[in-house]
Amino acid sequence: MKIKKTAMAMLMLSASGSLLLGACSEAPAPVAPDNAASSVWPQLKLPVAQDPAMEQAISELLAKMTLEQKIAQMIQPEIRDITVEDMRKYGFGSYLNGGGAFPNDNKYATPADWIALAEAMYQASMDTSGDGIAIPTMWGTDAVHGHNNVIGATIFPHNIGLGAANNPALIEQIAEATAREVMATGIDWVFAPTVAVVRDDRWGRTYESYSENPDIVRDYAAAIVRGLQGAAEQDFLSERRVISTVKHFVGDGGTTGGVDQGNTEVNEEELFRIHAQGYVGGLEAGAQTVMASFNSWNGSKIHGDRYLLTEVLKERMGFDGFVVGDWNGHGQIPGCTNDNCAQAANAGLDVYMVPTAAWKPLYYNLIEQVKTGVIPEARIDDAVRRILRVKKRAGLFDKPSPAQRPLAGRTELIGAPEHRAVARDAVRQSLVLLKNNEQLLPLKPQQRILVTGPGADNIGQQSGGWTISWQGTGNTNEDFPGGTSIYGGIARQVTAAGGQVELSSDGSFTEKPDVAIVVFGEEPYAEGNGDLDNLEYQRGNKTDLALLQQLKAQGIPVVSLFISGRPMWVNPELNASDAFVAVWLPGSEGEGVADVILRNAAGEVQYDFHGKLSFSWPATPQQSTVNIGDADYQPLLPYGFGLRYGDASTLSNTLSEDSGDDAANSELVIFERAPRSPWQLQLLSGAERNGVTSSVQEFGAIRSRTFDNQVQEDARRFEFSGKANAGLNFGSPFPRDLRAFASADSVLTLQLMRRGAVPEQVALSMSCGEACRGSQNIAPALAAMPEGEWQTLQISISCLQQQGLNLAQVFNVLTIESAGELNLSLADARIQRGSENTAQACQ
């Protein structure tokens, strides 16, 4: 084995916490628009006019505020990194909970726990004993498909499925229900809707987009803003409404290669015509906040782009609410860091979303930069005026505290039956029927039906990312009280009709069924982690296809229910299916699927298919940028496709199964920002192990926590206490065939950083069961690493094979254990074949 220094180490930001005063260096100037903003961007007629009396009251309040109080209004920290006393001392204008963050770091925090934290933060912000001023803070949360951070909440289908429904009235109902559940926990502000128009389906946030058609996105943006905030002329931001956020401004769905937080390379006219229509709809419905995007536009980071944030959004389009940043997005501006970035404020950013401990040096740096003239005080006054304007429009100065508001504490609203009914209807409307040979669907429920596949009885998988945890991983059915899996809905209806239903995970059965329903698809993921190289489903791993073929070979008709956050190349799976349904990510109300695919007990159709593809379906794995209106538009299934009952099935049963990819097994990713399926991260302590289900978790002699390396929470720190043998493990409940990596040039490549001393023994291993493993002591390599710098460590797979590892049945692909005290961080882990860099001789 060997270690080598990488570019990653040179990109690391200082963690010293020292203040970096003075301006950050200037980023490259944005690409100058061909025409002035007036020729491309519309002057919008916004429905909420400024109230002179309110503006006068804001002016009077501003005149009383110190510079420190103003800057505090522009700082938005995260609940894991501040205390109630911090709120009392600094008076932050807002705060947030990131995905996977909960009150008391407890995934199972109750609604009462959420309210208690909201109340404590509010009262601290209103405490005048320290600074003599009372300005209510507000809590922002990512309630993107229901109040998805809270156990027991209604989880609605993700946006891609709702786009297939093409029903703005339904979207407004969903938003209304979400607002009620959010307000029941004392929260004021929702980071939704996402109005990205995705152009490359490899992007890991494709499921957060309603459609490749900007018209649908525009109409949906207006509907969800009305549902969350209320209509401007009716109950705008009333006691049962929340503040909405149209995001991410602008072009997030258009990055080259579908790379998350990448570069959108389009001219200004296309930026508006394709990517800005959601802002037309959302702002004209009265949206009060806009979130800046991580991406760049022609090389200019949006968080630092004055032309787009100020000249276009605020001046030309007339937006008079405030612009909030995304998770440390300001730190990505060239010349800036998370704790030092004047350019973002000067560009028009009003609120810095600054999780982690960086909030404190950023606060003091901004104060100093105003005092030294790097940031004009007029820009600060404008930002704070906008923040106060939104707070006053939302009635936060007049409403009672969070615990005393009309909906607060009404736990019956969390997962309320009427909300679940809306979600179930949304599932029905979102399903798209792609294939239906010989009118196999709808099924008679009196038959003997086998329900199988990894997604059959898995509410977590059917809900996808941004569900309880950020990535949507680590959840079980018990984490969805009141929810129903796809199997659960089918079983209830089949049993009630007198039929028989059997559940199995692998296609086995006790008696041959009349029909098999196979539920399979993508595992949950969120931004970054979901990015793909191409759209081939189960690339290099055909276990689900084998299950379909196994059933077909036995003469059993097969209905495939495909769970996914995007269209994918599934030609082999389509060929092996008699009927095929795109169910997208339906959320917690899986019985909506049964409502459509099953007849009732009398043999009548309950609900016909309604959904139509809002994204074109690819003809090849490489066809990731196929969109309606393209000059060479040749998808497998076009935008708007979707069969109804009685329609003839048009798909061939012999679609090409040539993926055109001879490098499918050249790399196996184990950890990239998060564990990659099928690998699950566990903590080991003594003889016990515990699955990692939270961003912060302690188990016996080891503690784990996510932190920001290059982007949001993309690395993990592991602290071994030395009180017992402890470790981390990436394993799978079933053995995995890794024989594709049996060649001599295959290596396990890790990006590691250590702090402090290294014990004499640190074992890295891969295992295939009892007495079937290969292991190397990596302690000397760790000790040789410069402290606090990212390094690459490579282990030869052949070394592990020589010690008895059988690659045909790997259960644990990466285990690191030690009985000593150790502080070790991991940013990336993968097996690579054909790498130019090979590990040194085996130990």
Side-chain angles (χ1 to χ4, degrees):
M1 60 187 164
K2 69 176 181 179
I3 58 176
K4 64 175 182 177
K5 191 168 183 177
T6 67
M8 186 179 295
M10 293 182 282
L11 292 173
M12 284 295 293
L13 303 178
S14 170
S16 65
S18 59
L19 301 186
L20 305 173
L21 301 179
C24 62
S25 61
E26 289 296 314
V31 174
D34 297 330
N35 303 297
S38 59
S39 66
V40 173
W41 303 88
Q43 290 181 311
L44 301 181
K45 185 175 182 180
L46 303 182
V48 183
Q50 291 185 13
D51 178 357
M54 180 184 292
E55 295 302 310
Q56 178 61 32
I58 293 172
S59 296
E60 293 171 0
L61 182 54
L62 274 170
K64 298 176 184 176
M65 295 174 70
T66 65
L67 175 60
E68 290 76 10
Q69 290 166 343
K70 292 174 183 177
I71 296 299
Q73 288 297 304
M74 299 173 66
I75 298 291
Q76 184 184 78
E78 210 252 5
I79 61 173
R80 287 173 288 191
D81 297 293
I82 57 167
T83 64
V84 172
E85 287 309 308
D86 288 330
M87 178 64 77
R88 195 182 318 279
K89 178 178 178 180
Y90 292 94
F92 306 115
S94 60
Y95 61 102
L96 81 148
N97 66 289
F102 316 98
N104 309 313
D105 276 336
N106 179 15
K107 173 180 177 178
Y108 300 100
T110 65
D113 295 327
W114 289 81
I115 293 169
L117 180 57
E119 180 71 11
M121 289 292 191
Y122 173 90
Q123 294 296 350
S125 73
M126 298 296 284
D127 188 339
T128 60
S129 60
D131 60 8
I133 198 164
I135 299 176
T137 191
M138 56 186 180
W139 183 344
T141 191
D142 284 288
V144 295
H145 63 140
H147 198 9
N148 44 261
N149 294 285
V150 176
I151 296 287
T154 308
I155 306 298
F156 295 92
H158 266 299
N159 291 357
I160 191 168
L162 300 178
N166 198 6
N167 184 347
L170 172 67
I171 300 306
E172 191 165 341
Q173 284 185 288
I174 289 171
E176 288 175 357
T178 299
R180 286 192 289 269
E181 297 201 18
V182 167
M183 295 204 76
T185 57
I187 296 175
D188 319 280
W189 179 17
V190 166
F191 301 140
T194 297
V195 296
V197 178
V198 177
R199 311 309 284 167
D200 190 320
D201 299 342
R202 290 175 293 182
W203 189 36
R205 303 190 78 160
T206 296
Y207 66 80
E208 296 186 58
S209 176
Y210 297 112
S211 178
E212 68 190 45
N213 182 345
D215 294 342
I216 288 180
V217 175
R218 181 194 60 235
D219 294 346
Y220 270 30
I224 198 166
V225 168
R226 284 194 300 270
L228 290 171
Q229 294 190 166
E233 67 279 4
Q234 295 175 6
D235 62 340
F236 182 70
L237 291 174
S238 68
E239 292 177 337
R240 58 193 186 94
R241 304 290 185 171
V242 294
I243 302 164
S244 72
T245 308
V246 188
K247 66 181 188 183
H248 308 86
F249 190 83
V250 58
D252 49 347
T255 60
T256 300
V259 173
D260 190 49
Q261 305 182 18
N263 189 20
T264 300
E265 299 173 277
V266 298
N267 63 35
E268 189 170 16
E269 189 278 333
E270 186 172 339
L271 187 68
F272 169 69
R273 178 176 55 85
I274 299 293
H275 299 287
Q277 293 307 301
Y279 301 94
V280 173
L283 296 182
E284 287 187 334
Q288 291 298 292
T289 71
V290 169
M291 184 178 289
S293 186
F294 280 123
N295 66 280
S296 302
W297 175 45
N298 294 332
S300 172
K301 277 289 182 182
I302 303 293
H303 275 69
D305 193 320
R306 186 182 188 281
Y307 175 71
L308 288 175
L309 295 184
T310 297
E311 295 179 37
V312 169
L313 178 62
K314 294 179 177 178
E315 295 175 358
R316 176 63 183 173
M317 298 177 78
F319 175 61
D320 67 355
F322 66 80
V323 176
V324 61
D326 207 340
W327 190 279
N328 278 333
H330 58 276
Q332 296 186 17
I333 300 170
C336 286
T337 62
N338 292 346
D339 56 14
N340 185 31
C341 191
Q343 184 176 326
N346 285 334
L349 191 73
D350 301 310
V351 174
Y352 287 79
M353 184 185 288
V354 55
T356 74
W359 66 262
K360 185 175 288 187
L362 177 68
Y363 167 81
Y364 287 109
N365 280 332
L366 288 172
I367 291 170
E368 185 66 19
Q369 286 157 354
V370 176
K371 289 180 177 179
T372 57
V374 174
I375 304 174
E377 189 159 6
R379 169 76 272 268
I380 300 301
D381 286 347
D382 173 63
V384 178
R385 175 177 291 278
R386 290 168 176 275
I387 296 164
L388 297 177
R389 180 182 294 134
V390 172
K391 290 184 176 185
K392 283 188 172 291
R393 285 175 175 172
L396 297 186
F397 284 87
D398 305 312
K399 289 178 179 176
S401 66
Q404 304 304 316
R405 293 172 189 164
L407 300 187
R410 289 185 54 185
T411 55
E412 72 275 12
L413 292 175
I414 306 296
E418 59 269 28
H419 298 169
R420 294 188 183 277
V422 172
R424 183 169 169 179
D425 187 40
V427 175
R428 297 180 195 123
Q429 294 192 42
S430 68
L431 305 179
V432 182
L433 180 60
L434 304 185
K435 182 177 182 178
N436 195 20
N437 286 352
E438 299 179 7
Q439 299 297 306
L440 176 60
L441 294 177
L443 299 175
K444 294 179 180 179
Q446 293 86 356
Q447 300 178 88
R448 175 179 291 277
I449 298 176
L450 172 68
V451 184
T452 187
D457 193 28
N458 192 332
I459 305 177
Q461 184 175 355
Q462 73 192 37
S463 296
W466 287 108
T467 306
I468 305 177
S469 65
W470 175 38
Q471 295 289 323
T473 55
N475 299 320
T476 67
N477 284 1
E478 287 68 36
D479 294 327
F480 298 89
T484 307
S485 70
I486 293 173
Y487 161 73
I490 293 170
R492 191 194 69 78
Q493 294 190 21
V494 169
T495 302
Q500 295 178 290
V501 63
E502 183 174 1
L503 173 69
S504 78
S505 61
D506 58 2
S508 61
F509 46 80
T510 56
E511 186 175 337
K512 185 176 180 180
D514 297 311
V515 63
I517 299 173
V518 186
V519 190
F520 64 97
E522 291 189 290
E523 296 288 336
Y525 55 82
E527 55 193 288
N529 297 353
D531 288 2
L532 294 176
D533 291 331
N534 72 30
L535 296 179
E536 180 181 355
Y537 175 64
Q538 285 204 322
R539 187 180 183 193
N541 173 15
K542 297 298 183 183
T543 54
D544 290 341
L545 175 61
L547 174 58
L548 299 175
Q549 293 172 334
Q550 165 192 327
L551 293 164
K552 286 279 286 183
Q554 297 174 79
I556 302 169
V558 173
V559 176
S560 287
L561 303 180
F562 185 52
I563 296 171
S564 76
R566 59 190 137 208
M568 304 197 77
W569 187 76
V570 286
N571 281 16
E573 290 79 8
L574 283 164
N575 287 340
S577 306
D578 297 288
F580 195 101
V581 182
V583 301
W584 312 114
L585 297 166
S588 62
E589 306 313 299
E591 190 160 358
V593 177
D595 291 339
V596 177
I597 69 169
L598 296 177
R599 297 179 182 270
N600 64 19
E604 302 163 331
V605 172
Q606 298 186 83
Y607 295 89
D608 201 346
F609 279 92
H610 173 89
K612 300 288 186 180
L613 291 179
S614 59
F615 285 84
S616 306
W617 203 273
T620 70
Q622 295 77 29
Q623 195 184 44
S624 60
T625 56
V626 56
N627 296 293
I628 186 78
D630 290 350
D632 57 347
Y633 185 67
Q634 293 182 327
L636 177 70
L637 295 170
Y639 173 90
F641 179 88
L643 300 175
R644 300 278 196 262
Y645 285 137
D647 290 347
S649 194
T650 56
L651 269 179
S652 166
N653 295 312
T654 56
L655 297 170
S656 171
E657 298 188 8
D658 180 9
S659 69
D661 182 9
D662 59 3
N665 294 314
S666 64
E667 185 172 76
L668 174 72
V669 178
I670 301 166
F671 178 86
E672 185 180 51
R673 305 185 186 182
R676 288 298 186 93
S677 176
W679 311 112
Q680 300 168 11
L681 177 58
Q682 299 172 317
L683 299 181
L684 313 176
S685 183
E688 303 296 323
R689 62 182 59 210
N690 190 24
V692 174
T693 59
S694 181
S695 57
V696 179
Q697 193 161 325
E698 188 167 355
F699 179 65
I702 188 168
R703 186 175 189 270
S704 169
R705 174 168 181 164
T706 58
F707 67 96
D708 296 358
N709 173 30
Q710 300 297 321
V711 294
Q712 179 182 346
E713 297 192 76
D714 61 340
R716 272 196 176 268
R717 180 178 301 113
F718 299 93
E719 299 170 3
F720 299 65
S721 71
K723 296 180 180 178
N725 189 72
L728 60 107
N729 177 66
F730 291 89
S732 168
F734 302 103
R736 302 292 168 172
D737 183 0
L738 303 185
R739 286 174 290 184
F741 300 98
S743 58
D745 61 351
S746 293
V747 292
L748 173 63
T749 301
L750 309 178
Q751 297 290 341
L752 298 171
M753 177 173 62
R754 64 97 180 169
R755 293 189 182 276
V758 177
E760 292 184 0
Q761 290 288 326
V762 180
L764 180 150
S765 64
M766 294 175 64
S767 61
C768 41
E770 293 296 327
C772 178
R773 62 183 290 159
S775 179
Q776 296 274 286
N777 179 20
I778 62 171
L782 296 179
M785 292 180 177
E787 184 172 357
E789 294 185 13
W790 288 107
Q791 303 287 307
T792 297
L793 173 65
Q794 292 187 325
I795 304 292
S796 170
I797 298 298
S798 62
C799 289
L800 304 177
Q801 287 180 275
Q802 291 170 20
Q803 296 179 346
L805 176 67
N806 180 1
L807 286 174
Q809 49 183 15
V810 174
F811 281 92
N812 300 302
V813 72
L814 171 61
T815 306
I816 299 177
E817 296 177 276
S818 180
E821 190 173 346
L822 177 66
N823 186 315
L824 190 64
S825 297
L826 175 68
D828 192 271
R830 63 190 65 218
I831 299 174
Q832 297 171 306
R833 192 184 67 199
S835 172
E836 294 180 2
N837 303 306
T838 56
Q840 293 180 355
C842 308
Q843 289 186 340

